[in-house]
Every structure is written in C-alpha cells, then in structure tokens.
Amino acid sequence: EVLIQRFFDIMVEFKRKPYDLLDFSKNAFDRDYLEYTVNIAELEQQVQMFINLSFDNILRTEQALSLLKQFEDILTRDSLKADLDSKYTVIFHNYGLDLEAVQRL
C-alpha cells in the first residue's frame, strides 16, 4: 500500500506542473521528466525488494507459484517481469531438490 501511494504521489507531482511543450527555449519539462524517471526507477527497486521479501518466507512450491502468478497479473514493467521469470527457475530448482530428498527417504 505504501508503494502504491508513492506511485500516485509521483504522478500527482509530475502532473501538477504546467508546461508549454511548444516553447523549446525552456527546459523545465526535461528536468522534471528526468526527476520523474529517477523517482520511478527508485520505486521500481522498492517493488523488486518487496517481491523478493515476499518469496523469502514461502516454504511450499504451490504457494510460491501462486504468489508468482499474482505478481505476474499485476506487473507490466519489463525489468520486473524478467525477475519474475527468473523466479520460476528458482522455484522449480527447489522443487527438484525436494523431490530428490523424498526419493532418498
């Protein structure tokens, strides 16, 4: 919820500034857009940390796959999707280790 509010705060701040985009002699928009992209990049890192922390406490493969599906349904940024794709590898690797442990029993 904090991350969502941070996103809306960034958007409101950016939208509230008036610009004359046809006046090429003023670079206020360029500066503000750069600040906006930096803020979004920081927010994206915070979302990534939240995702990683969410997977740290999961013990079952089924739970991990369910959580991964939920994140996939709401995330559209390519960099976040790539990290989610890599989580499949980790989940199924851990599942394979679990199967090997059961076989040894």
Side-chain angles (χ1 to χ4, degrees):
E1 195 169 292
V2 172
L3 296 174
I4 294 170
Q5 184 59 49
R6 175 77 178 121
F7 172 75
F8 284 117
D9 291 345
I10 292 169
M11 293 300 297
V12 166
E13 178 66 22
F14 187 69
K15 286 180 178 181
R16 76 170 182 81
K17 299 178 181 180
Y19 300 106
D20 181 4
L21 296 177
L22 298 177
D23 186 357
F24 63 89
S25 64
K26 295 181 182 174
N27 64 356
F29 175 80
D30 294 334
R31 284 183 281 122
D32 290 339
Y33 183 72
L34 179 61
E35 180 182 338
Y36 166 80
T37 57
V38 167
N39 288 337
I40 293 296
E42 289 172 358
L43 182 61
E44 190 174 286
Q45 288 176 344
Q46 292 172 354
V47 169
Q48 190 62 57
M49 288 176 19
F50 174 78
I51 290 170
N52 291 337
L53 288 173
S54 298
F55 280 97
D56 284 347
N57 299 324
I58 293 181
L59 300 175
R60 293 185 14 226
T61 301
E62 182 180 351
Q63 290 173 319
L65 290 173
S66 175
L67 183 61
L68 191 57
K69 179 66 176 146
Q70 290 173 353
F71 282 130
E72 282 181 332
D73 289 344
I74 61 171
L75 296 176
T76 59
R77 305 275 296 188
D78 288 337
S79 59
L80 294 173
K81 282 187 170 190
D83 189 61
L84 291 180
D85 289 343
S86 71
K87 296 228 181 289
Y88 275 113
T89 304
V90 172
I91 291 169
F92 287 118
H93 173 73
N94 290 339
Y95 182 67
L97 294 175
D98 289 345
L99 288 177
E100 288 175 8
V102 169
Q103 274 183 327
R104 282 187 243 122
L105 296 175

